[in-house]
Amino acid sequence: MKHFTLLFAFLFIGLTSCKLNKKAPIQKEIVLNKLWETDTLMKTCEAVRYDKVKDVIYVSNMGNVPTDAKDGDGTMSIISTEGKTLNQNWVTNLNAPKGSNYYKGKLYIADIDAIIKIDIKSGSTEKIIKVENSIFLNDLDVDTNGHAYITDSRDSKVYKLVNDEVSVWLDLKGLNPNGILVEKDRVLVVSFSKGDFIAIDKNTKEQTVIATGIIKGDGIVPIKEGYIVSTWPGEIFFVDKTQPGVPAIKLLDTQEEKLNAADIGIIPDKKILLVPTFYGNKVVAYKIGYK
């Protein structure tokens, strides 16, 4: 009887294991296939943002170096989803525009120590919101309520903009936060200095490491399987949302080509990744595929 019981137990475990394995999804390898690139007129392009309403892409051009100079040579361009330039100098007289996002007809842009509010219909600057004590505002994202979150990568702070009023949301001392992505209940940030990709609970401010090994992290975009994260020197990584805390998987490396990968964007419905190449002065698009 004892032997029969053990045999039954082993058979039960084996059958259960087989059943679970059949249900377990097979993770396909994500690959990036180049689709197109713009001309090289995007002077020091740092960030891109797809506007689903207008079906166009906004490009932040920082202009001449140094990139933190208040020299007024920064611009915003508009390109099509096929990489054609629609308006090279849509917005001018900016200093060093970087991360941006839109809400109800307004585009918000991080620009050194101010947030620039643009009326999308006219392309005119509606308001300049100074951020006191900020040093180098970098990336920006907007939630469904129209609240903007902005990183200061040189002062390790995250600011929050509500009704055109800005305040410090969180001090991330030593992290040097760069790329930012706002979700419903949390804010995701990638570090420029530590290589960590973290999630911050909106209510408790509790921090969780999602992935490691992303040195000089720059941009973040969401995909079904997790996230794609870029690094300024020219690397692009995949972060599997089902395996938090593990090293990210490298998808692309353009460092030998001397092409940076700054604040990336995405056209989600077409699964197209948009990469601003900074000193490469162009935007490159990749189809997100599988093998």
Side-chain angles (χ1 to χ4, degrees), residues 59-78:
V59 184
S60 303
N61 306 302
M62 298 177 71
N64 297 320
V65 294
T67 54
D68 57 356
K70 295 183 179 180
D71 46 18
D73 68 351
T75 63
M76 296 294 296
S77 299
I78 298 178

Side-chain angles (χ1 to χ4, degrees), residues 118-133:
I118 302 294
D119 177 72
I120 293 175
K121 186 176 181 179
S122 65
S124 60
T125 300
E126 185 173 298
K127 195 169 186 178
I128 299 175
I129 305 165
K130 296 291 291 183
V131 182
E132 297 297 330
N133 302 314

Side-chain angles (χ1 to χ4, degrees), residues 228-271:
I228 293 179
V229 185
S230 64
T231 72
W232 184 83
E235 298 168 298
I236 295 177
F237 292 87
F238 165 65
V239 175
D240 189 339
K241 66 181 180 182
T242 66
Q243 301 183 56
V246 302
I249 300 168
K250 189 183 294 188
L251 302 178
L252 186 71
D253 191 338
T254 57
Q255 293 180 92
E256 289 189 3
E257 301 171 52
K258 296 184 178 179
L259 288 178
N260 304 99
D263 189 0
I264 53 178
I266 192 170
I267 305 176
D269 293 341
K270 297 180 180 180
K271 295 184 179 180

Side-chain angles (χ1 to χ4, degrees), residues 35-64:
L35 288 177
W36 52 256
E37 63 181 43
T38 66
D39 54 30
T40 55
L41 298 177
M42 307 293 158
K43 185 66 175 178
T44 321
C45 51
E46 201 280 336
V48 288
R49 179 70 69 175
Y50 172 64
D51 185 336
K52 186 176 182 179
V53 178
K54 301 288 186 181
D55 194 33
V56 296
I57 301 161
Y58 304 120
V59 184
S60 303
N61 306 302
M62 298 177 71
N64 297 320

